Amino acid sequence: MYFALPQEYRETALPDLKKRVWAAKERLGHKALILTHHYQRLEVVEFGDAIGDSYALAKIAASRQDVEFIFFCGVHFMAEAADILSQDYQKVYLPNPLAGCPMADMAEMADVFEAWEVLEKLGGDQRFMPISYMNSAAGLKAFCGKHGGLICTSSNADAAYRYGFERKEKLFFFPDRHLGFNTGMKFGLRPDDMVIWDFSQENGGLTDEQIERAKIILWKGHCHVHTNFKPEHVIEMRQKYPGIKIVVHPECPYEVVKLADATGSTGFIVKYVEAQPAGSIIAIGTEINLINRLAHYHSDKKIIELSGQTCPVCANMYRTTINDLAFCLENFSEIKPISVPEETKKFARIALERMLEVH
Ligand code: 13P
Ligand code: SF4
């Protein structure tokens, strides 16, 4: 993928860009919907018709059948999900097409299919339910749809596990080992009930006996932003600020999650902060743009980033600038929309619709 923002859009000053985005929004009126994820820059979020976590935005994309154009300020897998869930007459644009997700890239289709071949020998979809985190390629969502599985986000992973265990003996969860593990622990499983499929090794680095003993096979993927947080950060914060509240995203390692006061999706974190009384001190373990925005809007509370030093920025979320948004809104008729092939869409939609049903 190659994308170079035209020079004119790089050189335009912020006040002019803002005027142009407002003007384009007004011109498009009810035909356009701008969706912005919680990790987007403040000046991008300002233009969102809706802001939310990946689950909430997918739901909005599925339900707003009245609009013609959806501009998704987030990362590629989110825009793909919007394209899968929207209608054929609707078009979805990703203002910066280079915005991907390194965690999603850790589950390559060929590698997942290879793992499935091994699981098939042990019973396949008679025994295993594939569950993919939303952060995955459309082809893997289709794979889940074809094999009786579903998609989840960090806001409904528990419900997805319930759905899975009500129907199958074992789960095959990818790509985030941490969300998968944290959800398993919340579900009452023991660490030994979960094994890690290391895609860089033959047979995932597992014996058939290990797979047989496990209840969940977890893909060895992770988010480089959330794995920055360490248990010592929680301990240090509690020492420094007695009475502090600590809330983290479930992509953080279990050792961090277990020490935090609360864990949940980006949407959950926003609500958690809103619910704390004025004067509270809250440390947050998630992406820095969301933390900064929460600090900006809740000046009656002290809101700090949990590690205190690592600046957990998601470079891909940060890629989308207001310059990109202005360019996309003004030129979308010449830009290729996100377009998931029909056959993939058909099965991916099954898995995504299950996700929307099991919240
Ligand atoms: P949410 O589902 O909480 O919005 O998270 C998406 C994500 O990519 C977190 O890193
Ligand atoms: Fe992907 Fe992590 Fe960025 Fe979320 S924060 S989009 S999981 S790289």
Side-chain angles (χ1 to χ4, degrees):
M1 161 69 68
Y2 175 75
F3 172 69
L5 188 69
Q7 197 63 23
E8 187 223 325
Y9 287 88
R10 291 170 194 252
E11 287 167 352
T12 309
L14 186 62
D16 292 336
L17 284 168
K18 285 193 175 187
K19 273 191 216 143
R20 284 169 71 162
V21 173
W22 282 122
K25 251 172 93 80
E26 209 169 300
R27 261 195 321 276
L28 287 164
H30 297 304
K31 289 185 186 166
L33 176 70
I34 301 180
L35 299 179
T36 56
H37 186 265
H38 283 305
Y39 292 163
Q40 293 288 296
R41 296 163 185 250
L42 185 61
E43 68 271 22
V44 170
V45 165
E46 203 184 306
F47 294 101
D49 296 304
I51 170 168
D53 61 21
S54 57
Y55 180 87
L57 295 177
K59 211 169 164 188
I60 295 170
S63 64
R64 286 295 306 273
Q65 298 179 3
D66 55 312
V67 300
E68 271 179 58
F69 312 109
I70 299 174
F71 298 92
F72 207 122
C73 301
V75 290
H76 191 262
F77 72 81
M78 296 180 180
E80 264 190 348
D83 180 48
I84 294 162
L85 287 166
S86 60
Q87 305 299 308
D88 289 347
Y89 55 82
Q90 298 180 294
K91 288 192 166 65
V92 178
Y93 295 92
L94 183 64
N96 187 319
L98 299 178
C101 168
M103 181 219 277
D105 295 343
M106 286 177 197
E108 284 192 14
M109 302 241 295
D111 289 339
V112 174
F113 293 167
E114 213 176 291
W116 188 249
E117 272 175 30
V118 173
L119 301 184
E120 274 200 311
K121 289 193 196 116
L122 300 172
D125 42 18
Q126 296 298 309
R127 299 180 71 204
F128 295 85
M129 178 175 290
I131 302 183
S132 174
Y133 190 23
M134 182 70 131
N135 304 36
S136 59
L140 290 178
K141 292 185 171 79
F143 163 80
C144 289
K146 262 187 200 157
H147 292 280
L150 77 166
I151 311 304
C152 73
T153 73
S154 51
S155 69
N156 75 338
D158 321 20
Y161 270 28
R162 215 177 310 119
Y163 180 94
F165 280 126
E166 275 166 14
R167 289 161 179 81
K168 301 282 156 78
E169 196 186 321
K170 297 172 192 287
L171 309 181
F172 173 37
F173 184 86
F174 48 85
D176 187 17
R177 60 184 285 180
H178 297 294
L179 174 67
F181 187 86
N182 290 328
T183 310
M185 294 301 282
K186 212 168 148 193
F187 210 75
L189 299 183
R190 292 166 303 127
D192 288 353
D193 292 328
M194 298 177 263
V195 289
I196 305 287
W197 182 278
D198 179 352
F199 49 89
S200 68
Q201 288 190 43
E202 195 65 33
N203 223 60
L206 298 170
T207 61
D208 287 357
E209 292 69 35
Q210 285 173 309
I211 298 173
E212 278 297 347
R213 275 199 302 273
K215 292 201 162 63
I216 309 180
I217 321 301
L218 299 169
W219 197 258
K220 199 183 176 186
H222 69 273
C223 165
H224 65 287
V225 179
H226 289 91
T227 46
N228 262 321
F229 298 107
K230 309 271 178 261
E232 41 283 23
H233 296 145
V234 181
I235 295 162
E236 279 162 25
M237 280 293 171
R238 293 210 192 277
Q239 277 166 355
K240 200 164 168 193
Y241 302 103
I244 193 172
K245 293 286 183 199
I246 295 176
V247 57
V248 302
H249 195 279
E251 288 175 13
C252 293
Y254 178 67
E255 293 67 33
V256 174
V257 165
K258 107 177 150 191
L259 294 177
D261 294 296
T263 306
S265 73
T266 55
F268 173 90
I269 293 172
V270 170
K271 287 198 194 101
Y272 184 87
V273 168
E274 281 166 2
Q276 300 309 308
S280 303
I281 305 176
I282 310 155
I284 309 178
T286 196
E287 208 274 341
I288 195 70
N289 276 289
L290 172 56
I291 302 172
N292 287 344
R293 210 176 59 254
L294 287 169
H296 177 82
Y297 287 124
H298 296 272
S299 49
D300 58 335
K301 300 167 198 175
K302 184 175 174 70
I303 294 171
I304 42 188
E305 182 263 299
L306 178 60
S307 80
Q309 60 193 26
T310 61
C311 189
V313 66
C314 174
N316 282 280
M317 285 285 183
Y318 200 64
R319 271 182 199 273
T320 303
T321 58
I322 184 171
N323 313 57
D324 296 322
L325 183 59
F327 171 68
C328 192
L329 287 168
E330 290 182 351
N331 300 279
F332 67 90
S333 57
E334 286 147 44
I335 297 173
K336 194 169 173 286
I338 297 292
S339 173
V340 176
E342 263 328 298
E343 184 64 8
T344 306
K345 219 179 214 181
K346 187 170 108 192
F347 288 101
R349 183 178 284 148
I350 296 173
L352 277 166
E353 284 177 350
R354 274 188 200 130
M355 169 187 92
L356 295 178
E357 277 160 27
V358 304
H359 202 260

